Every structure is written in C-alpha cells, then in structure tokens.
Amino acid sequence: MVGFFLLSATPYAQYTDIINSNRPGESMSAFSVGKAVIQAEAGLYGIKEKHDLLRYQANGFGTEIDVRYGAFFDQFEFALNTQYQYDWYEAPLVNDTRGGFKQIIIGAKYLIYDPFIRKEKANIYSWKANHKFSWKQFIPAVAVYAGFNLKLGTNPYTFPTDRTISPKIMAITQHHFGSKWVWVNNIIADKYMTDYPSFGIISTLTRGFNMRWSGFLELQGYKSDYYADTLFRFGAAYLIRENIQLDASFNKNVKETPSILIANIGMSWRFDSNWETNYKRIDGGKKDKKKDKKSKRDKGKKRKDEVELEKTK
C-alpha cells in the first residue's frame, strides 16, 4: 500500500519503482502489481481469543501467504490468499489442539478507472500553481474483484454447512491525497450463496513518513446472521529495498464474545525481472532490451552501407 506515494508512478502502467503491497492491513489496493510481475506477501501472527459466555479460550499462531501475479494487461492480476492457524483450545471438559485453513481464496482483480493515468503538466513559472488545492484528488481509482472461497475437508474454523466452493466479490476505491496520504476502501460480499453470507467494509488510511517508513490505521466491520464484529488495526511498514518490505501490526476487536487480540509481522517481496526484460519503463528506468538490440542492429547496418558508399566513390 506504500509504493504509490513513496515514488511517483508511471503515467501509463501499473508498475512502480517501489513495491506495491497490500500488507500490513487486510484491505486490497485498487492497483495491480504490473504485467508479468510476481509478488509474494507473507506474515506470521499470534492470536489470543476468549469468550466469557461460552467459557472458552484459544491461544495460538498462524501464517498468511498471498501470491499476486499480473497477467494479460497492466490493469489485471490474479491473487491467491491463504491463512492457516494452529491453536490450543480450552473449554469446560475440553482441552485440545486444533488446526486448519481459516481462508483459501482464489480470485482476480481489474482496475476499471484510474484518475492518475494522465498527469497535468507542471507550471514552470509558478510554485503556487503547482501546489494549489485540487478537487481531482477526491476522485478515486476504482477496481472490482471476484473470486471464490475453497474449503478443504473438516475444518474447525469454518461452518459445517459451508459449501466447498463459495463466491466472494468486492468493489475497491483508492484515493491519493497529496504525496503522503492514501485512503483505500473495500466493500465486500462474501459467501453470499451459502447459509451464512457476510457483508462488510474495510477502510484503510496510510501515511508515508519518509522514503522508508509508513504507518496505517484500519477499520473493518462485517455482519452476517451468524456473527458480526468491528475490528481496529494499526501498524507500520519499512522498505528495505525497492522490492522488499517488512511490516508489523496489531489487531483488536470491540466485542467480548469473543474478544480477539492479534499481533502480526510480515514481509513482501516482488520478482520483476520479467517486466524489466520485456517492457520499457516509462519513468526513465532501464531500457527495453529488445528495442536496444534492434537499435544496435540498425546502427551496424548503417555503418555497412556507409562503407559500400565509400567504395563506389
């Protein structure tokens, strides 16, 4: 979520100089990683859960592994989102361990509107004109997402009535306020063809402090006939290199039935060699190798023609 404001994005592509990660929050950005780019986002978390009415508590840890791949064109990406948890569960007459996938989602995202595709030319005569307030910053980038939840076998973290495959759809908006603030909203309809569909929203506000550090605040609310809750998250991300980001975050809900506390650390890594090899960077980065080779051949041909011309003279 930090890549788009730490360095300016390219005018006509999804690819940016800095990694564009969905971590450390739970919301999904409107932009893809870029065509032919592979990105992995992984995290390790500890969780503490307690339910006073049902008199149970669970303490454990889990992993989150997401893989994103930009395909076909710049605005499109595939995404695999997984979450596995293992905990120690205690209740009256029960003291046991349990484990399983809390989430396996396969989906795709498409950016349908990008307000940043065309940038206004700088006014070389007026600093004030270049920094004046613009209403255009209130126009968000808009994307849509569609995928499906996959349930594998018996799972203590899913409903027994859940189907093996259930759909998930989402509308995504992303605002940029100046060069430091980004506001992302996800409107979600999850498992809406099952007995317990869930509807919710995730709203994330991110601020870049400098070229390395950023922080975020996040609000998530969801509601179904089975369960409803509101959660708050906050954390920070640190950029090690252009393609590697570290992060840490905390998560707390508002209910006591159950109360949930989560601490999370993670890393995002981008593999973009395929992009750099096959696509010219508009922002003045590495040259297109294919065009560079063609240019060298053309130069060699010109030199040969010049030699032949000298011989005729």
Side-chain angles (χ1 to χ4, degrees):
M1 233 172 283
V2 298
F4 283 93
F5 56 88
L6 289 176
L7 283 181
S8 59
T10 56
Y12 299 100
Q14 296 288 286
Y15 184 90
T16 56
D17 285 335
I18 301 298
I19 184 173
N20 166 31
S21 176
N22 288 326
R23 293 188 61 86
E26 292 295 327
S27 63
M28 183 181 292
S29 69
F31 295 89
S32 74
V33 292
K35 187 177 179 181
V37 174
I38 301 173
Q39 188 162 304
E41 303 172 7
L44 177 66
Y45 66 89
I47 182 171
K48 183 176 182 179
E49 183 176 335
K50 185 177 181 181
H51 200 301
D52 292 332
L53 293 180
L54 298 181
R55 298 166 57 195
Y56 79 78
Q57 63 179 4
N59 299 301
F61 62 92
T63 60
E64 299 170 326
I65 301 177
D66 299 344
V67 179
R68 302 165 62 187
Y69 176 69
F72 305 128
F73 32 83
D74 289 329
Q75 297 87 350
F76 187 84
E77 78 172 26
F78 290 106
L80 169 66
N81 309 107
T82 67
Q83 183 179 2
Y84 184 90
Q85 183 169 309
Y86 183 89
D87 58 33
W88 292 263
Y89 182 85
E90 295 182 13
L93 304 178
V94 178
N95 190 343
D96 200 1
T97 60
R98 57 182 185 174
F101 281 98
K102 298 188 74 172
Q103 175 178 285
I104 301 178
I105 305 175
I106 302 173
K109 178 178 65 180
Y110 177 68
L111 179 72
I112 60 177
Y113 177 71
D114 180 5
F116 314 107
I117 195 77
R118 294 179 181 272
K119 292 189 174 183
E120 296 182 359
K121 294 182 179 179
N123 189 331
I124 61 175
Y125 302 105
S126 173
W127 181 93
K128 184 177 180 181
N130 291 326
H131 294 82
K132 68 180 181 179
F133 177 83
S134 175
W135 288 101
K136 290 184 178 180
Q137 64 184 331
F138 290 98
I139 302 175
V142 179
V144 292
Y145 170 90
F148 60 87
N149 299 276
L150 183 62
K151 179 184 176 183
L152 300 179
T154 303
N155 194 321
Y157 304 111
T158 59
F159 303 128
T161 57
D162 277 356
R163 298 180 182 180
T164 303
I165 297 177
S166 59
K168 178 179 182 178
I169 59 175
M170 182 163 43
I172 305 168
T173 63
Q174 182 164 330
H175 295 78
H176 288 223
F177 301 113
S179 60
K180 295 183 178 180
W181 294 92
V182 176
W183 184 30
V184 176
N185 290 283
N186 294 177
I187 302 172
I188 308 165
D190 193 13
K191 300 181 180 180
Y192 57 90
M193 295 179 65
T194 66
D195 295 334
Y196 299 104
S198 176
F199 302 93
I201 184 171
I202 306 176
S203 184
T204 310
L205 183 64
T206 306
R207 188 186 192 282
F209 300 113
N210 53 45
M211 295 296 291
R212 296 289 180 182
W213 286 98
S214 67
F216 85 100
L217 293 173
E218 185 171 273
L219 170 68
Q220 179 178 4
Y222 54 91
K223 180 177 177 58
S224 71
D225 292 338
Y226 183 83
Y227 184 72
D229 205 347
T230 302
L231 303 97
F232 293 93
R233 299 184 184 91
F234 68 93
Y238 178 74
L239 190 69
I240 296 181
R241 298 177 57 184
E242 291 183 353
N243 66 327
I244 301 176
Q245 172 190 293
L246 297 180
D247 63 75
S249 63
F250 292 91
N251 182 348
K252 183 72 178 71
N253 69 331
V254 298
K255 298 182 69 172
E256 296 295 329
T257 53
S259 64
I260 301 173
L261 178 64
I262 300 174
N264 195 321
I265 58 172
M267 182 181 75
S268 301
W269 172 78
R270 179 178 71 180
F271 177 78
D272 55 5
S273 295
N274 291 334
W275 187 92
E276 292 181 346
T277 300
N278 297 295
Y279 302 97
K280 182 178 180 180
R281 295 177 62 175
I282 301 173
D283 60 350
K286 296 180 181 179
K287 295 180 180 179
D288 187 336
K289 294 183 179 179
K290 291 182 178 179
K291 291 186 177 181
D292 192 47
K293 289 180 180 179
K294 183 180 178 182
S295 177
K296 289 181 179 178
R297 287 197 300 269
D298 291 342
K299 287 181 180 179
K301 185 178 180 181
K302 288 179 181 178
R303 293 193 189 98
K304 185 177 180 180
D305 293 341
E306 289 173 357
V307 172
E308 293 295 331
L309 182 60
E310 289 294 329
K311 289 180 178 181
T312 57
K313 290 181 178 179

